[in-house]
Amino acid sequence: MSAFTAPAARVGAPRGLGNTGRSIAPRLVSPPVSRRHTRAHRVSAIPEPAPVAPISIADIKELSYDWQLDFCSRPMKDERGKKMWELLICDETRSFEHAEFFPNNRINSVELSKAIERVIQAQGSKPRRFKFFRSQMQTIITRACNDAGIQPLASRRCQTLTSWLDDRVENVYKKHPGFDGQASPMMGFEASSPRPLPDALRGESWAFVALPLAGVRDEIEQVKKNKVFGDVLAIDPNTPDDTLIPGIAVYTARAAALSGWTKGLELGGISVDLDMGTLILDTGVADSWQYARFKQTEELTQEAREWEQVKAATGGLHFLAIQTDEDAEQTDGFWILQDFTAAKY
């Protein structure tokens, strides 16, 4: 199997997405503004979790969206000189946050499941799924989530959680009396080599495109209303509406079917391999695919390079659009993507 090949298309927005008539050029945007800082907790011992008044199962609200979860060791030691572990849980907007330290003798799926159930009880609601990005913790997290009755999902779409982790490095971990500045990063991200793309996920042609953020927001609303297949991420509200967001547009007569198949994947991001003349699609937490190829002409190579430059200028933000052809009035699938950068710890 081979990935489909791009036509010699210019960089710009396809008509189905709104033709901007503008070429892609690097443009810097303001970095995301941190919403708040977490206070440091200067403790010498890890306290037992406070009891939570039980709520009947019937009163637990089932949410239609996901929460994000991380369970891993941190660069801190407790009063026994043992490495501390931490559970973090938040929703995708950080409207609620739960942080809980664990001693190293309570690191198992049973203890994690109990903690998850406490959070659900405290919130009075449970998420559709728990997303997590550490593949090395998959066994414990998967078992604990299943025991708690929540579907686990290995995903690179955990930008809210990794941003919170970065905040905690500066505002909690480094201020803890047991902080170990020499600790090596624990359980870093491990990507696999790209594999050939399955036939069901191939389109007929594709193009490098761009769309002003205002147009991207319009597409996001279509996804939220379930009018098209896709998935979205939170975008910094301070980003100007005329900021060009780079994307990949896939054209195929079977756009609806291809969008449905693509919806079954947990998309991470798309990147360009200039040496191979290939687009790489990341899914899950470790899978990668040879999504498409382009002829390594001077023109297309420069186009690919500029596309990556604009993506870098938007903090890795980009999109995937699937539609029948360049003249289509609407998309059948639309995904907001972002390059994944694992947290330091």
Side-chain angles (χ1 to χ4, degrees):
M1 290 182 291
S2 61
F4 54 98
T5 303
R10 67 177 176 82
V11 180
R15 294 178 189 174
L17 298 175
N19 197 334
T20 65
R22 289 181 284 182
S23 61
I24 287 187
R27 174 178 176 178
L28 295 175
V29 296
S30 301
V33 178
S34 176
R35 298 193 305 111
R36 60 183 175 277
H37 296 290
T38 308
R39 293 180 179 177
H41 298 279
R42 291 183 173 275
V43 296
S44 57
I46 301 175
E48 289 295 320
V52 177
I55 300 176
S56 69
I57 296 177
D59 292 331
I60 298 294
K61 181 181 179 181
E62 294 190 4
L63 303 175
S64 61
Y65 52 86
D66 303 328
W67 290 351
Q68 299 177 13
L69 179 152
D70 186 45
F71 188 53
C72 192
S73 65
R74 302 297 187 228
M76 300 177 294
K77 295 181 179 179
D78 60 20
E79 60 182 3
R80 303 171 301 153
K82 302 296 184 180
K83 182 167 287 191
M84 296 169 61
W85 284 62
E86 184 182 45
L87 168 65
L88 294 181
I89 296 177
C90 65
D91 62 9
E92 295 183 338
T93 62
R94 282 176 66 184
S95 64
F96 96 89
E97 301 170 343
H98 175 84
E100 180 179 342
F101 288 119
F102 283 67
N104 67 345
N105 59 357
R106 287 176 50 210
I107 309 306
N108 55 67
S109 62
V110 174
E111 292 291 339
L112 179 56
S113 178
K114 291 177 180 178
I116 289 173
E117 290 173 351
R118 288 195 299 272
V119 174
I120 290 173
Q121 286 282 327
Q123 293 297 315
S125 58
K126 65 179 182 179
R128 177 182 57 165
R129 302 174 300 192
F130 269 119
K131 290 182 178 179
F132 65 94
F133 66 89
R134 294 190 199 270
S135 57
Q136 300 90 339
M137 294 298 296
Q138 185 159 350
T139 299
I140 288 180
I141 292 176
T142 297
R143 187 174 298 164
C145 288
N146 288 335
D147 289 346
I150 309 294
Q151 179 186 348
L153 179 63
S155 173
R156 280 178 250 210
R157 301 177 71 84
C158 293
Q159 285 81 2
T160 301
L161 181 58
T162 56
S163 175
W164 184 23
L165 268 167
D166 289 339
D167 286 347
R168 289 182 67 79
V169 169
E170 299 301 323
N171 299 295
V172 178
Y173 308 154
K174 288 185 177 181
K175 295 180 180 180
H176 192 279
F179 175 69
D180 180 7
Q182 303 302 314
S184 58
M186 180 66 174
M187 301 179 180
F189 177 70
E190 296 180 358
S192 62
S193 298
R195 293 178 286 170
L197 190 73
D199 288 338
L201 298 176
R202 294 198 296 169
E204 294 154 15
S205 63
W206 64 275
F208 291 111
V209 299
L211 189 62
L213 180 57
V216 169
R217 289 197 172 108
D218 289 341
E219 294 294 332
I220 288 175
E221 288 305 309
Q222 297 301 304
V223 175
K224 288 182 176 179
K225 293 176 181 177
N226 293 318
K227 292 186 176 181
V228 300
F229 292 102
D231 202 359
V232 301
L233 293 171
I235 297 177
D236 179 11
N238 296 312
T239 305
D241 283 346
D242 61 352
T243 300
L244 281 180
I245 308 299
I248 298 297
V250 174
Y251 309 118
T252 174
R254 43 186 286 276
L258 178 57
S259 297
W261 279 102
T262 304
K263 178 65 175 177
L265 299 174
E266 181 67 5
L267 301 189
I270 297 174
S271 59
V272 176
D273 186 329
L274 291 173
D275 293 333
M276 298 297 293
T278 305
L279 296 186
I280 305 300
L281 172 67
D282 295 329
T283 62
V285 290
D287 293 328
S288 296
W289 308 90
Q290 299 166 12
Y291 193 57
R293 294 196 179 99
F294 57 91
K295 294 180 180 179
Q296 292 174 286
T297 63
E298 182 177 348
E299 179 182 0
L300 286 177
T301 299
Q302 180 59 26
E303 194 172 348
R305 185 177 291 110
E306 290 178 354
W307 187 86
E308 280 288 356
Q309 289 172 348
V310 176
K311 180 155 66 86
T314 60
L317 191 68
H318 55 296
F319 65 85
L320 170 67
I322 299 176
Q323 58 190 70
T324 54
D325 55 51
E326 294 183 27
D327 297 321
E329 293 298 325
Q330 63 182 23
T331 59
D332 290 271
F334 194 87
W335 284 261
I336 296 294
L337 309 174
Q338 189 164 25
D339 291 345
F340 181 78
T341 302
K344 185 176 179 180
Y345 295 106

